[in-house]
Amino acid sequence: MAESQHRSQHRSNSGSHRGRRPKRTIDKVRLAAFEAMSEITGQGAYANLVGPAVINHHQLSGRDAALATELINGTCRALGTYEMIIEEASGRDTRDLDPDVVDVLCLGTHQLLGMRTPPHAAIDTTVNLAGAVVGERVVGLVNAILRKITRHDLDGWTSILAEGLTGADELAVRHLHPRWIGHAYADLLPAEEVGPALAANNVAAVPTLVARPGLSTVEELVTAGATATGPSPYAASYKGNPADLLAVREGRAAVQDAGSQLVATALARAEAPDGWWLDLCAGPGGKAGLLTGLAAERDERLLAVEVAPHRADLVARTLRAHVTARPVTICADGTRPAWPQGRFARVMADVPCSGLGALRRRPESRWRRTPDDVTDLIRLQQDLLHSAVEAAQPGGVIAYVTCSPHADETAGVVEAVLAERSDLELIDAPSLLPEVTDAALGWYVQLWPHRHGTDAMFLALLRRRS
């Protein structure tokens, strides 16, 4: 299978396609989607960032904006699968095609197989797009490949691609995932849940709001039109634009997945001594915002740490609403402490990870990540957990958190650190979240989209002994 990562090495150095003059008349929606895909596959951009940017650039709104968003996110979500289908239909390796042609074909394939676009309309608009952004020389090729793709629906094509495969391999292909991710899920879930878990990643997450303690309440959000959703006691959902709510505009509430809320809540509920709290990897600030409010309820304060300057700035902006709580934000490396050791009552270590628990939010990431990415992160994750332990005072509690269910970067990291230290003990994390059922993984918490409607967050709680 051709990996979508390769395209940046073969694409011309022409840069962004914004502003290019098409030779054909083409609707702004398809052009915006193509420009976004070009940046995602050619420059490593993120769909959730570049998508809104190109939509705004083309001044799309309403149905057009929604259609462009679906074209971008839906194509990214099934990108590797669509490339395999294109190869099967054309008999050609996508690496032998112009990268722009591959992007155009993937957009057309999504319209044919992943949307309700009539086949003739999907082919006509895609051929028109190819002629406009690539040139007339590729029109016949694009037309021919798309017509061959119409021979089967998506289930038919994935059946062809999965022929001869069994178990996690077959489920991964049928549910539009790389096979290694299917195996990672199969290592953790009962066999009957692997398919539903993978399928849940193909359903866009509904934005969840957090009512930050001391600044707003779920009741205030409900009065403004939101709905209390749980399982977090601070969660609510809102069908409209969150910025329409006064509490969100003022920073007293924000968009935050309920899973992120729950791991912060568990840390706050654990028995611990009095003292400062530390958020070791705070960017972009969602958990820090919630932790600051929870600390203030105990008349305690939070130090938020972020290594990247632009993300540290985001954290500081997030915490501005907590005037009376007096949180502190610094830009520093969590593995090189710039703060007193052995001083913090509670430490949050939400470490950099593969992000396999947020695939429904980051549609392109499943095709960018590889098993090597997980391996490369493990040493950093262990170092950050060691640093978090050193920062905790005797009796202090450390939360090790990832937005990934992969065993190597979750339980594997915790157990490696436990084996190297004699001053740690595990806390029964599931017992601190009684409102969440079926999330216990031994003494750890593992959330899942298909079970809990949250990102697949992992939580381990540890106590530093004297």
Side-chain angles (χ1 to χ4, degrees):
M1 181 191 78
E3 295 288 348
S4 58
Q5 285 178 312
H6 78 270
R7 294 190 213 165
S8 60
Q9 301 170 5
H10 296 276
R11 194 181 299 274
S12 67
N13 295 321
S14 59
S16 171
H17 291 268
R18 294 186 205 174
R20 172 183 289 183
R21 283 187 174 181
K23 297 178 181 178
R24 291 179 174 226
T25 301
I26 184 168
D27 66 274
K28 289 184 178 181
V29 172
R30 268 78 180 182
L31 183 58
F34 169 77
E35 289 175 355
M37 290 304 303
S38 180
E39 294 191 33
I40 291 164
T41 65
Q43 301 177 41
Y46 296 98
N48 67 323
L49 298 179
V50 74
V54 296
I55 288 170
N56 289 335
H57 175 76
H58 287 280
Q59 299 180 330
L60 303 179
S61 61
R63 291 184 178 180
D64 285 345
L67 176 57
T69 300
E70 172 55 28
L71 278 170
I72 296 164
N73 291 345
T75 301
C76 286
R77 193 173 294 118
L79 191 59
T81 303
Y82 289 162
E83 289 182 0
M84 288 190 285
I85 291 171
I86 291 166
E87 290 181 342
E88 190 74 23
S90 67
R92 300 176 62 170
D93 193 313
T94 52
R95 287 173 292 189
D96 296 332
L97 296 172
D98 184 310
D100 288 344
V101 171
V102 179
D103 286 338
V104 169
L105 284 168
C106 286
L107 286 166
T109 301
H110 183 58
Q111 292 175 77
L112 288 171
L113 304 181
M115 299 174 66
R116 296 180 180 179
T117 310
H120 70 276
I123 293 173
D124 287 348
T125 55
T126 305
V127 167
N128 219 24
L129 176 65
V133 300
V134 183
E136 296 298 323
R137 60 185 174 81
V138 302
V139 164
L141 174 66
V142 169
N143 182 67
I145 293 174
L146 291 177
R147 291 190 181 280
K148 289 181 180 178
I149 289 173
T150 62
R151 294 175 180 174
H152 306 285
D153 61 11
L154 184 57
D155 286 342
W157 277 113
T158 54
S159 294
I160 292 171
L161 297 176
E163 187 175 353
L165 301 178
T166 59
D169 290 315
E170 179 184 7
L171 289 170
V173 172
R174 289 188 180 277
H175 292 289
L176 317 180
H177 285 69
R179 288 157 63 177
W180 73 273
I181 295 180
H183 283 279
Y185 278 38
D187 288 342
L188 295 168
L189 290 166
E192 66 273 13
E193 285 193 57
V194 177
L198 293 169
N201 290 335
N202 297 330
V203 180
V206 177
T208 302
L209 302 178
V210 58
R212 289 174 172 157
L215 299 178
S216 65
T217 63
V218 172
E219 289 74 18
E220 177 190 356
L221 298 179
V222 170
T223 300
T227 303
T229 54
S232 163
Y234 310 103
S237 64
Y238 184 67
K239 293 183 178 180
N241 182 355
D244 292 341
L245 300 179
L246 179 63
V248 174
R249 292 199 302 273
E250 294 180 343
R252 298 184 293 107
V255 175
Q256 184 180 35
D257 180 70
S260 293
Q261 298 178 39
L262 286 167
V263 296
T265 300
L267 174 60
R269 288 175 175 173
E271 183 179 349
D274 297 335
W276 276 76
W277 298 22
L278 173 66
D279 189 347
L280 194 63
C281 308
K287 292 183 184 67
L290 178 54
L291 289 170
T292 296
L294 294 171
E297 291 180 340
R298 301 170 180 266
D299 199 24
E300 297 174 352
R301 296 173 65 187
L302 176 84
L303 172 64
V305 178
E306 172 54 45
V307 66
H310 70 285
R311 287 169 63 86
D313 185 56
L314 291 174
V315 176
R317 292 181 188 181
T318 296
L319 300 185
R320 282 176 188 169
H322 291 277
V323 177
T324 59
R326 297 177 296 148
V328 177
T329 303
I330 64 172
C331 184
D333 185 343
T335 64
R336 299 178 179 180
W339 46 86
Q341 296 296 277
R343 295 285 298 276
F344 292 91
R346 302 171 199 268
V347 182
M348 169 64 72
D350 180 9
V351 301
C353 68
S354 66
L356 296 186
L359 295 181
R360 59 193 186 138
R361 297 182 188 279
R362 299 166 187 162
E364 76 287 333
S365 62
R366 73 183 70 178
W367 304 109
R368 286 185 179 167
R369 297 298 188 188
T370 70
D372 289 340
D373 293 323
V374 174
T375 302
D376 292 343
L377 284 165
I378 289 173
R379 185 67 257 173
L380 173 61
Q381 292 163 343
Q382 292 177 352
D383 288 346
L384 286 167
L385 181 51
H386 277 294
S387 182
V389 174
E390 292 297 327
Q393 61 179 284
V397 176
I398 303 99
Y400 176 79
V401 173
T402 69
C403 190
S404 169
H406 197 292
D408 289 350
E409 55 184 339
T410 55
V413 168
V414 175
E415 288 159 12
V417 171
L418 283 169
E420 294 175 8
R421 308 188 65 110
S422 60
D423 59 346
L424 285 178
E425 61 184 11
L426 277 173
I427 298 173
D428 183 4
S431 69
L432 295 171
L433 294 173
E435 59 267 78
V436 184
T437 60
D438 204 18
L441 186 65
W443 284 42
Y444 309 133
V445 168
Q446 179 62 67
L447 302 171
W448 293 97
H450 72 289
R451 288 183 185 176
H452 310 105
T454 69
D455 290 345
M457 303 293 297
F458 171 87
L459 168 68
L461 289 174
L462 306 104
R463 188 183 309 281
R464 188 176 189 186
R465 295 194 292 249
S466 300

